[in-house]
Amino acid sequence: MNLPSSILQHAVDQLSSLPGVGRRAALRFALHLMRLSDSEIAEFASSVTALKSDLHYCRLCHNVSDSEICPICSNPKRNHSLVCVVENLQDVLAIENTQQYSGLYHVLGGVISPIDGIGIRDLNIQSLIDRVATPSDTPVSEVILALPTTMEGDTTAFYINRQLEPLGVKVSAIARGIAIGDNLEYADEITLARSILHRIPFNESH
Amino acid sequence: MNLPSSILQHAVDQLSSLPGVGRRAALRFALHLMRLSDSEIAEFASSVTALKSDLHYCRLCHNVSDSEICPICSNPKRNHSLVCVVENLQDVLAIENTQQYSGLYHVLGGVISPIDGIGIRDLNIQSLIDRVATPSDTPVSEVILALPTTMEGDTTAFYINRQLEPLGVKVSAIARGIAIGDNLEYADEITLARSILHRIPFNESH
């Protein structure tokens, strides 16, 4: 695409760097933005730069937050003795959407992945161990690992579990099995095997 | 989606105002932008605001341009006596991509649409008439109407033709017919009827 303006070209280049956005969509975005008023485009640009300049990360759980402590960690109604370890913000949102979890979170910011150059020090693992080890009025009694079932996720979970074991805290993992509504015949064999292995009493299954 | 940060929420609101972008994609965009460096995000934001502050419109054809006269209008190798009238920038790009047209353009910036409140004065129609009427070294000998085949496009074409008729300039319209590679049986009857009505000598059809 040979655009008649280097300014438009540059904006299209920048917009097409967004995930899943091709050059055609980026051009549509640029033409839309061109039609905005001066104040609208200034608001658009400042909301984007604020993502970098004004956004905080919660000092306790490392979730994004407007303040030093996020609304979840500062909520006295939540169970502060329960910490769910997740990879990223999207996973927090997914669990919050279920409205079934009332504990706190710990956002690792990724999983251990030597191929991508992500090691233990790049993740919020030490702060999780400190969080469990530090004496407090409401000590952490259980850590729930809700990490992806990939080799990287499993490695990370294994490492965290080994670090937490000496601290005497209960470490659990979310249940894996056949999704509600799925047919057994279409499930992959590993998931099906795990769901049989980790079967639960029928009276608890509803 | 209940985001834990009003700054993130605001950015997602702004990003989801882009055409065809839902809240889920906007969140993905925001999380991507958060990971950029300070200089990268500044460049992203400035490229967007430049669309409003620095982008010019060609004084002759109203296409977007970095300068007062766009590269097409200032190109001496192009045929300055031929002007193709299009609705918007995308149509210029589509015609340029064919590499078959060497004349100039005139970008209307829309078509007459009373329902959307777009009238004759909102479009670059008067400047087209002035362009044809003004004496010049290379007077416009032909105006090619390449407007959409909608009621609005047809109305606009009809109006422009009536304004140009007294000036004695040749006014033509791009050919409508069965697309190359399309089967006759799947063509709509209006297109097929037009392609029969406007048949051309076989020797000219390749």
Side-chain angles (χ1 to χ4, degrees), chain B residues 9-85:
Chain B
Q9 183 72 60
H10 186 218
V12 168
D13 289 345
Q14 289 287 319
L15 289 163
S16 62
S17 74
L18 293 171
V21 175
R23 303 196 64 76
R24 221 170 246 276
L27 179 62
R28 248 188 310 135
F29 292 173
L31 295 169
H32 166 83
L33 291 165
M34 273 165 58
R35 281 194 288 269
L36 296 183
S37 72
D38 284 350
S39 62
E40 283 170 334
I41 206 151
E43 187 180 357
F44 182 92
S46 74
S47 79
V48 166
T49 46
L51 282 176
K52 193 77 198 172
S53 56
D54 300 346
L55 203 61
H56 295 273
Y57 291 88
C58 174
R59 192 165 53 80
L60 290 172
C61 73
H62 307 284
N63 194 1
V64 295
S65 172
D66 289 347
S67 47
E68 207 194 353
I69 306 289
C70 79
I72 292 174
C73 285
S74 59
N75 185 348
K77 285 190 186 149
R78 297 192 73 119
N79 184 349
H80 284 235
S81 63
L82 216 53
V83 172
C84 180
V85 178

Side-chain angles (χ1 to χ4, degrees), chain A residues 12-27:
Chain A
V12 168
D13 290 345
Q14 289 288 319
L15 289 164
S16 63
S17 75
L18 293 171
V21 175
R23 303 196 63 76
R24 222 168 245 276
L27 178 62

Side-chain angles (χ1 to χ4, degrees), chain A residues 35-58:
Chain A
R35 283 193 287 269
L36 295 183
S37 71
D38 284 350
S39 63
E40 283 171 335
I41 206 152
E43 188 180 356
F44 182 91
S46 74
S47 79
V48 165
T49 45
L51 282 176
K52 193 76 197 172
S53 56
D54 299 346
L55 203 61
H56 296 273
Y57 291 87
C58 174

Side-chain angles (χ1 to χ4, degrees), chain A residues 28-200:
Chain A
R28 247 186 311 135
F29 292 174
L31 295 169
H32 165 84
L33 291 165
M34 273 164 59
R35 283 193 287 269
L36 295 183
S37 71
D38 284 350
S39 63
E40 283 171 335
I41 206 152
E43 188 180 356
F44 182 91
S46 74
S47 79
V48 165
T49 45
L51 282 176
K52 193 76 197 172
S53 56
D54 299 346
L55 203 61
H56 296 273
Y57 291 87
C58 174
R59 191 165 53 81
L60 290 172
C61 74
H62 306 284
N63 194 1
V64 295
S65 172
D66 289 347
S67 48
E68 207 193 353
I69 306 289
C70 78
I72 292 174
C73 285
S74 59
N75 185 348
K77 286 187 185 150
R78 298 193 73 119
N79 183 350
H80 285 235
S81 64
L82 215 54
V83 171
C84 181
V85 178
V86 293
E87 185 181 1
N88 53 37
L89 163 65
Q90 291 100 304
D91 297 341
V92 174
L93 295 175
I95 295 174
E96 283 296 287
N97 275 341
T98 68
Q99 303 193 329
Q100 293 294 313
Y101 179 69
S102 65
L104 306 185
Y105 293 94
H106 195 89
V107 180
L108 294 181
V111 285
I112 297 168
S113 173
I115 287 176
D116 301 316
I118 303 173
I120 292 151
R121 280 154 203 276
D122 301 311
L123 305 173
N124 301 316
I125 291 178
Q126 188 55 48
S127 63
L128 171 67
I129 295 158
D130 294 345
R131 207 172 154 185
V132 173
T134 309
S136 111
D137 294 343
T138 51
V140 177
S141 63
E142 181 175 355
V143 172
I144 304 167
L145 299 175
L147 296 172
T149 44
T150 56
M151 196 162 67
E152 291 78 10
D154 286 343
T155 306
T156 312
F158 183 77
Y159 176 79
I160 291 174
N161 182 49
R162 216 174 46 184
Q163 298 294 309
L164 292 178
E165 259 179 346
L167 301 173
V169 69
K170 186 177 164 191
V171 180
S172 55
I174 58 166
R176 307 290 181 175
I178 309 297
I180 310 293
D182 268 13
N183 282 320
L184 293 202
E185 59 175 321
Y186 301 127
D188 67 289
E189 56 265 48
I190 299 173
T191 304
L192 187 54
R194 276 234 229 166
S195 74
I196 293 169
L197 202 63
H198 299 141
R199 63 195 176 277
I200 53 168

